[in-house]
mmCIF file with all atom_site columns, all heavy atoms in Angstrom:
data_model
loop_
_atom_site.group_PDB
_atom_site.id
_atom_site.type_symbol
_atom_site.label_atom_id
_atom_site.label_alt_id
_atom_site.label_comp_id
_atom_site.label_asym_id
_atom_site.label_entity_id
_atom_site.label_seq_id
_atom_site.pdbx_PDB_ins_code
_atom_site.Cartn_x
_atom_site.Cartn_y
_atom_site.Cartn_z
_atom_site.occupancy
_atom_site.B_iso_or_equiv
_atom_site.pdbx_formal_charge
_atom_site.auth_seq_id
_atom_site.auth_comp_id
_atom_site.auth_asym_id
_atom_site.auth_atom_id
_atom_site.pdbx_PDB_model_num
ATOM 1   N N   . MET N 1 1  ? 2.410  32.923 -77.366 1.00 0.00 ? 13 MET N N   1
ATOM 2   C CA  . MET N 1 1  ? 2.617  31.616 -77.919 1.00 0.00 ? 13 MET N CA  1
ATOM 3   C C   . MET N 1 1  ? 4.113  31.244 -77.924 1.00 0.00 ? 13 MET N C   1
ATOM 4   O O   . MET N 1 1  ? 4.474  30.130 -77.688 1.00 0.00 ? 13 MET N O   1
ATOM 5   C CB  . MET N 1 1  ? 2.028  31.549 -79.329 1.00 0.00 ? 13 MET N CB  1
ATOM 6   C CG  . MET N 1 1  ? 1.991  30.152 -79.893 1.00 0.00 ? 13 MET N CG  1
ATOM 7   S SD  . MET N 1 1  ? 0.943  29.085 -78.907 1.00 0.00 ? 13 MET N SD  1
ATOM 8   C CE  . MET N 1 1  ? -0.012 28.351 -80.134 1.00 0.00 ? 13 MET N CE  1
ATOM 9   N N   . ARG N 1 2  ? 4.957  32.233 -78.217 1.00 0.00 ? 14 ARG N N   1
ATOM 10  C CA  . ARG N 1 2  ? 6.404  31.980 -78.219 1.00 0.00 ? 14 ARG N CA  1
ATOM 11  C C   . ARG N 1 2  ? 6.893  31.584 -76.827 1.00 0.00 ? 14 ARG N C   1
ATOM 12  O O   . ARG N 1 2  ? 7.780  30.755 -76.708 1.00 0.00 ? 14 ARG N O   1
ATOM 13  C CB  . ARG N 1 2  ? 7.160  33.217 -78.672 1.00 0.00 ? 14 ARG N CB  1
ATOM 14  C CG  . ARG N 1 2  ? 7.060  33.469 -80.134 1.00 0.00 ? 14 ARG N CG  1
ATOM 15  C CD  . ARG N 1 2  ? 7.936  34.620 -80.524 1.00 0.00 ? 14 ARG N CD  1
ATOM 16  N NE  . ARG N 1 2  ? 7.586  35.050 -81.865 1.00 0.00 ? 14 ARG N NE  1
ATOM 17  C CZ  . ARG N 1 2  ? 8.012  36.147 -82.419 1.00 0.00 ? 14 ARG N CZ  1
ATOM 18  N NH1 . ARG N 1 2  ? 8.787  36.959 -81.736 1.00 0.00 ? 14 ARG N NH1 1
ATOM 19  N NH2 . ARG N 1 2  ? 7.669  36.473 -83.636 1.00 0.00 ? 14 ARG N NH2 1
ATOM 20  N N   . ASP N 1 3  ? 6.306  32.200 -75.793 1.00 0.00 ? 15 ASP N N   1
ATOM 21  C CA  . ASP N 1 3  ? 6.699  31.873 -74.442 1.00 0.00 ? 15 ASP N CA  1
ATOM 22  C C   . ASP N 1 3  ? 6.411  30.415 -74.112 1.00 0.00 ? 15 ASP N C   1
ATOM 23  O O   . ASP N 1 3  ? 7.217  29.740 -73.475 1.00 0.00 ? 15 ASP N O   1
ATOM 24  C CB  . ASP N 1 3  ? 6.003  32.761 -73.430 1.00 0.00 ? 15 ASP N CB  1
ATOM 25  C CG  . ASP N 1 3  ? 6.494  34.195 -73.494 1.00 0.00 ? 15 ASP N CG  1
ATOM 26  O OD1 . ASP N 1 3  ? 7.637  34.424 -73.922 1.00 0.00 ? 15 ASP N OD1 1
ATOM 27  O OD2 . ASP N 1 3  ? 5.702  35.086 -73.115 1.00 0.00 ? 15 ASP N OD2 1
ATOM 28  N N   . ILE N 1 4  ? 5.286  29.919 -74.570 1.00 0.00 ? 16 ILE N N   1
ATOM 29  C CA  . ILE N 1 4  ? 4.914  28.524 -74.308 1.00 0.00 ? 16 ILE N CA  1
ATOM 30  C C   . ILE N 1 4  ? 5.852  27.595 -75.048 1.00 0.00 ? 16 ILE N C   1
ATOM 31  O O   . ILE N 1 4  ? 6.330  26.611 -74.497 1.00 0.00 ? 16 ILE N O   1
ATOM 32  C CB  . ILE N 1 4  ? 3.445  28.247 -74.726 1.00 0.00 ? 16 ILE N CB  1
ATOM 33  C CG1 . ILE N 1 4  ? 2.495  28.996 -73.790 1.00 0.00 ? 16 ILE N CG1 1
ATOM 34  C CG2 . ILE N 1 4  ? 3.161  26.755 -74.723 1.00 0.00 ? 16 ILE N CG2 1
ATOM 35  C CD1 . ILE N 1 4  ? 1.052  28.916 -74.161 1.00 0.00 ? 16 ILE N CD1 1
ATOM 36  N N   . MET N 1 5  ? 6.179  27.924 -76.289 1.00 0.00 ? 17 MET N N   1
ATOM 37  C CA  . MET N 1 5  ? 7.101  27.092 -77.072 1.00 0.00 ? 17 MET N CA  1
ATOM 38  C C   . MET N 1 5  ? 8.495  27.108 -76.444 1.00 0.00 ? 17 MET N C   1
ATOM 39  O O   . MET N 1 5  ? 9.158  26.074 -76.376 1.00 0.00 ? 17 MET N O   1
ATOM 40  C CB  . MET N 1 5  ? 7.156  27.553 -78.523 1.00 0.00 ? 17 MET N CB  1
ATOM 41  C CG  . MET N 1 5  ? 5.831  27.382 -79.259 1.00 0.00 ? 17 MET N CG  1
ATOM 42  S SD  . MET N 1 5  ? 5.220  25.686 -79.213 1.00 0.00 ? 17 MET N SD  1
ATOM 43  C CE  . MET N 1 5  ? 6.329  24.952 -80.403 1.00 0.00 ? 17 MET N CE  1
ATOM 44  N N   . GLY N 1 6  ? 8.906  28.279 -75.981 1.00 0.00 ? 18 GLY N N   1
ATOM 45  C CA  . GLY N 1 6  ? 10.212 28.393 -75.337 1.00 0.00 ? 18 GLY N CA  1
ATOM 46  C C   . GLY N 1 6  ? 10.240 27.599 -74.042 1.00 0.00 ? 18 GLY N C   1
ATOM 47  O O   . GLY N 1 6  ? 11.226 26.920 -73.744 1.00 0.00 ? 18 GLY N O   1
ATOM 48  N N   . MET N 1 7  ? 9.132  27.669 -73.293 1.00 0.00 ? 19 MET N N   1
ATOM 49  C CA  . MET N 1 7  ? 9.059  26.927 -72.038 1.00 0.00 ? 19 MET N CA  1
ATOM 50  C C   . MET N 1 7  ? 9.050  25.413 -72.312 1.00 0.00 ? 19 MET N C   1
ATOM 51  O O   . MET N 1 7  ? 9.726  24.659 -71.602 1.00 0.00 ? 19 MET N O   1
ATOM 52  C CB  . MET N 1 7  ? 7.779  27.320 -71.294 1.00 0.00 ? 19 MET N CB  1
ATOM 53  C CG  . MET N 1 7  ? 7.741  26.753 -69.885 1.00 0.00 ? 19 MET N CG  1
ATOM 54  S SD  . MET N 1 7  ? 6.415  27.474 -68.903 1.00 0.00 ? 19 MET N SD  1
ATOM 55  C CE  . MET N 1 7  ? 5.012  26.554 -69.542 1.00 0.00 ? 19 MET N CE  1
ATOM 56  N N   . MET N 1 8  ? 8.363  24.984 -73.331 1.00 0.00 ? 20 MET N N   1
ATOM 57  C CA  . MET N 1 8  ? 8.330  23.560 -73.684 1.00 0.00 ? 20 MET N CA  1
ATOM 58  C C   . MET N 1 8  ? 9.720  23.085 -74.079 1.00 0.00 ? 20 MET N C   1
ATOM 59  O O   . MET N 1 8  ? 10.136 21.964 -73.740 1.00 0.00 ? 20 MET N O   1
ATOM 60  C CB  . MET N 1 8  ? 7.325  23.298 -74.801 1.00 0.00 ? 20 MET N CB  1
ATOM 61  C CG  . MET N 1 8  ? 5.881  23.489 -74.386 1.00 0.00 ? 20 MET N CG  1
ATOM 62  S SD  . MET N 1 8  ? 5.390  22.460 -72.994 1.00 0.00 ? 20 MET N SD  1
ATOM 63  C CE  . MET N 1 8  ? 5.419  20.865 -73.783 1.00 0.00 ? 20 MET N CE  1
ATOM 64  N N   . GLY N 1 9  ? 10.457 23.918 -74.790 1.00 0.00 ? 21 GLY N N   1
ATOM 65  C CA  . GLY N 1 9  ? 11.825 23.571 -75.173 1.00 0.00 ? 21 GLY N CA  1
ATOM 66  C C   . GLY N 1 9  ? 12.708 23.415 -73.950 1.00 0.00 ? 21 GLY N C   1
ATOM 67  O O   . GLY N 1 9  ? 13.515 22.488 -73.862 1.00 0.00 ? 21 GLY N O   1
ATOM 68  N N   . LYS N 1 10 ? 12.528 24.310 -72.976 1.00 0.00 ? 22 LYS N N   1
ATOM 69  C CA  . LYS N 1 10 ? 13.318 24.234 -71.740 1.00 0.00 ? 22 LYS N CA  1
ATOM 70  C C   . LYS N 1 10 ? 12.954 23.005 -70.937 1.00 0.00 ? 22 LYS N C   1
ATOM 71  O O   . LYS N 1 10 ? 13.821 22.388 -70.313 1.00 0.00 ? 22 LYS N O   1
ATOM 72  C CB  . LYS N 1 10 ? 13.131 25.498 -70.923 1.00 0.00 ? 22 LYS N CB  1
ATOM 73  C CG  . LYS N 1 10 ? 13.760 26.714 -71.551 1.00 0.00 ? 22 LYS N CG  1
ATOM 74  C CD  . LYS N 1 10 ? 14.203 27.683 -70.492 1.00 0.00 ? 22 LYS N CD  1
ATOM 75  C CE  . LYS N 1 10 ? 14.782 28.920 -71.137 1.00 0.00 ? 22 LYS N CE  1
ATOM 76  N NZ  . LYS N 1 10 ? 16.174 28.812 -71.414 1.00 0.00 ? 22 LYS N NZ  1
ATOM 77  N N   . VAL N 1 11 ? 11.665 22.648 -70.952 1.00 0.00 ? 23 VAL N N   1
ATOM 78  C CA  . VAL N 1 11 ? 11.233 21.445 -70.223 1.00 0.00 ? 23 VAL N CA  1
ATOM 79  C C   . VAL N 1 11 ? 11.861 20.202 -70.848 1.00 0.00 ? 23 VAL N C   1
ATOM 80  O O   . VAL N 1 11 ? 12.365 19.326 -70.123 1.00 0.00 ? 23 VAL N O   1
ATOM 81  C CB  . VAL N 1 11 ? 9.675  21.337 -70.218 1.00 0.00 ? 23 VAL N CB  1
ATOM 82  C CG1 . VAL N 1 11 ? 9.227  19.956 -69.759 1.00 0.00 ? 23 VAL N CG1 1
ATOM 83  C CG2 . VAL N 1 11 ? 9.084  22.427 -69.352 1.00 0.00 ? 23 VAL N CG2 1
ATOM 84  N N   . LYS N 1 12 ? 11.866 20.129 -72.165 1.00 0.00 ? 24 LYS N N   1
ATOM 85  C CA  . LYS N 1 12 ? 12.490 18.974 -72.851 1.00 0.00 ? 24 LYS N CA  1
ATOM 86  C C   . LYS N 1 12 ? 13.993 18.934 -72.570 1.00 0.00 ? 24 LYS N C   1
ATOM 87  O O   . LYS N 1 12 ? 14.553 17.860 -72.360 1.00 0.00 ? 24 LYS N O   1
ATOM 88  C CB  . LYS N 1 12 ? 12.211 19.027 -74.348 1.00 0.00 ? 24 LYS N CB  1
ATOM 89  C CG  . LYS N 1 12 ? 10.791 18.681 -74.690 1.00 0.00 ? 24 LYS N CG  1
ATOM 90  C CD  . LYS N 1 12 ? 10.584 18.589 -76.183 1.00 0.00 ? 24 LYS N CD  1
ATOM 91  C CE  . LYS N 1 12 ? 9.147  18.316 -76.456 1.00 0.00 ? 24 LYS N CE  1
ATOM 92  N NZ  . LYS N 1 12 ? 8.939  17.123 -77.237 1.00 0.00 ? 24 LYS N NZ  1
ATOM 93  N N   . GLU N 1 13 ? 14.618 20.087 -72.576 1.00 0.00 ? 25 GLU N N   1
ATOM 94  C CA  . GLU N 1 13 ? 16.061 20.157 -72.285 1.00 0.00 ? 25 GLU N CA  1
ATOM 95  C C   . GLU N 1 13 ? 16.333 19.694 -70.862 1.00 0.00 ? 25 GLU N C   1
ATOM 96  O O   . GLU N 1 13 ? 17.243 18.921 -70.621 1.00 0.00 ? 25 GLU N O   1
ATOM 97  C CB  . GLU N 1 13 ? 16.534 21.606 -72.480 1.00 0.00 ? 25 GLU N CB  1
ATOM 98  C CG  . GLU N 1 13 ? 18.012 21.801 -72.242 1.00 0.00 ? 25 GLU N CG  1
ATOM 99  C CD  . GLU N 1 13 ? 18.432 23.240 -72.417 1.00 0.00 ? 25 GLU N CD  1
ATOM 100 O OE1 . GLU N 1 13 ? 17.891 23.934 -73.306 1.00 0.00 ? 25 GLU N OE1 1
ATOM 101 O OE2 . GLU N 1 13 ? 19.304 23.676 -71.647 1.00 0.00 ? 25 GLU N OE2 1
ATOM 102 N N   . MET N 1 14 ? 15.512 20.148 -69.909 1.00 0.00 ? 26 MET N N   1
ATOM 103 C CA  . MET N 1 14 ? 15.664 19.736 -68.514 1.00 0.00 ? 26 MET N CA  1
ATOM 104 C C   . MET N 1 14 ? 15.446 18.235 -68.361 1.00 0.00 ? 26 MET N C   1
ATOM 105 O O   . MET N 1 14 ? 16.147 17.554 -67.629 1.00 0.00 ? 26 MET N O   1
ATOM 106 C CB  . MET N 1 14 ? 14.685 20.515 -67.624 1.00 0.00 ? 26 MET N CB  1
ATOM 107 C CG  . MET N 1 14 ? 14.733 20.102 -66.182 1.00 0.00 ? 26 MET N CG  1
ATOM 108 S SD  . MET N 1 14 ? 16.291 20.432 -65.386 1.00 0.00 ? 26 MET N SD  1
ATOM 109 C CE  . MET N 1 14 ? 16.034 22.119 -64.930 1.00 0.00 ? 26 MET N CE  1
ATOM 110 N N   . GLN N 1 15 ? 14.458 17.713 -69.082 1.00 0.00 ? 27 GLN N N   1
ATOM 111 C CA  . GLN N 1 15 ? 14.175 16.282 -69.021 1.00 0.00 ? 27 GLN N CA  1
ATOM 112 C C   . GLN N 1 15 ? 15.365 15.470 -69.537 1.00 0.00 ? 27 GLN N C   1
ATOM 113 O O   . GLN N 1 15 ? 15.763 14.469 -68.939 1.00 0.00 ? 27 GLN N O   1
ATOM 114 C CB  . GLN N 1 15 ? 12.920 15.946 -69.837 1.00 0.00 ? 27 GLN N CB  1
ATOM 115 C CG  . GLN N 1 15 ? 12.507 14.498 -69.752 1.00 0.00 ? 27 GLN N CG  1
ATOM 116 C CD  . GLN N 1 15 ? 11.228 14.232 -70.540 1.00 0.00 ? 27 GLN N CD  1
ATOM 117 O OE1 . GLN N 1 15 ? 10.817 15.030 -71.372 1.00 0.00 ? 27 GLN N OE1 1
ATOM 118 N NE2 . GLN N 1 15 ? 10.628 13.097 -70.277 1.00 0.00 ? 27 GLN N NE2 1
ATOM 119 N N   . ALA N 1 16 ? 15.983 15.903 -70.614 1.00 0.00 ? 28 ALA N N   1
ATOM 120 C CA  . ALA N 1 16 ? 17.146 15.216 -71.151 1.00 0.00 ? 28 ALA N CA  1
ATOM 121 C C   . ALA N 1 16 ? 18.316 15.278 -70.160 1.00 0.00 ? 28 ALA N C   1
ATOM 122 O O   . ALA N 1 16 ? 19.014 14.276 -69.938 1.00 0.00 ? 28 ALA N O   1
ATOM 123 C CB  . ALA N 1 16 ? 17.562 15.838 -72.487 1.00 0.00 ? 28 ALA N CB  1
ATOM 124 N N   . LYS N 1 17 ? 18.511 16.442 -69.534 1.00 0.00 ? 29 LYS N N   1
ATOM 125 C CA  . LYS N 1 17 ? 19.578 16.562 -68.544 1.00 0.00 ? 29 LYS N CA  1
ATOM 126 C C   . LYS N 1 17 ? 19.300 15.672 -67.336 1.00 0.00 ? 29 LYS N C   1
ATOM 127 O O   . LYS N 1 17 ? 20.211 15.072 -66.774 1.00 0.00 ? 29 LYS N O   1
ATOM 128 C CB  . LYS N 1 17 ? 19.722 18.024 -68.103 1.00 0.00 ? 29 LYS N CB  1
ATOM 129 C CG  . LYS N 1 17 ? 20.373 18.903 -69.143 1.00 0.00 ? 29 LYS N CG  1
ATOM 130 C CD  . LYS N 1 17 ? 20.495 20.319 -68.632 1.00 0.00 ? 29 LYS N CD  1
ATOM 131 C CE  . LYS N 1 17 ? 21.141 21.236 -69.663 1.00 0.00 ? 29 LYS N CE  1
ATOM 132 N NZ  . LYS N 1 17 ? 21.256 22.628 -69.173 1.00 0.00 ? 29 LYS N NZ  1
ATOM 133 N N   . MET N 1 18 ? 18.041 15.589 -66.928 1.00 0.00 ? 30 MET N N   1
ATOM 134 C CA  . MET N 1 18 ? 17.671 14.759 -65.781 1.00 0.00 ? 30 MET N CA  1
ATOM 135 C C   . MET N 1 18 ? 17.930 13.291 -66.079 1.00 0.00 ? 30 MET N C   1
ATOM 136 O O   . MET N 1 18 ? 18.446 12.556 -65.226 1.00 0.00 ? 30 MET N O   1
ATOM 137 C CB  . MET N 1 18 ? 16.195 14.954 -65.448 1.00 0.00 ? 30 MET N CB  1
ATOM 138 C CG  . MET N 1 18 ? 15.720 14.226 -64.208 1.00 0.00 ? 30 MET N CG  1
ATOM 139 S SD  . MET N 1 18 ? 16.445 14.789 -62.682 1.00 0.00 ? 30 MET N SD  1
ATOM 140 C CE  . MET N 1 18 ? 15.574 16.301 -62.438 1.00 0.00 ? 30 MET N CE  1
#
Side-chain angles (χ1 to χ4, degrees):
M13 190 62 132
R14 286 186 194 169
D15 290 334
I16 291 174
M17 295 304 285
M19 190 169 78
M20 292 302 291
K22 291 210 182 272
V23 167
K24 286 186 183 237
E25 182 181 323
M26 177 64 85
Q27 184 178 15
K29 287 181 180 179
M30 184 67 75

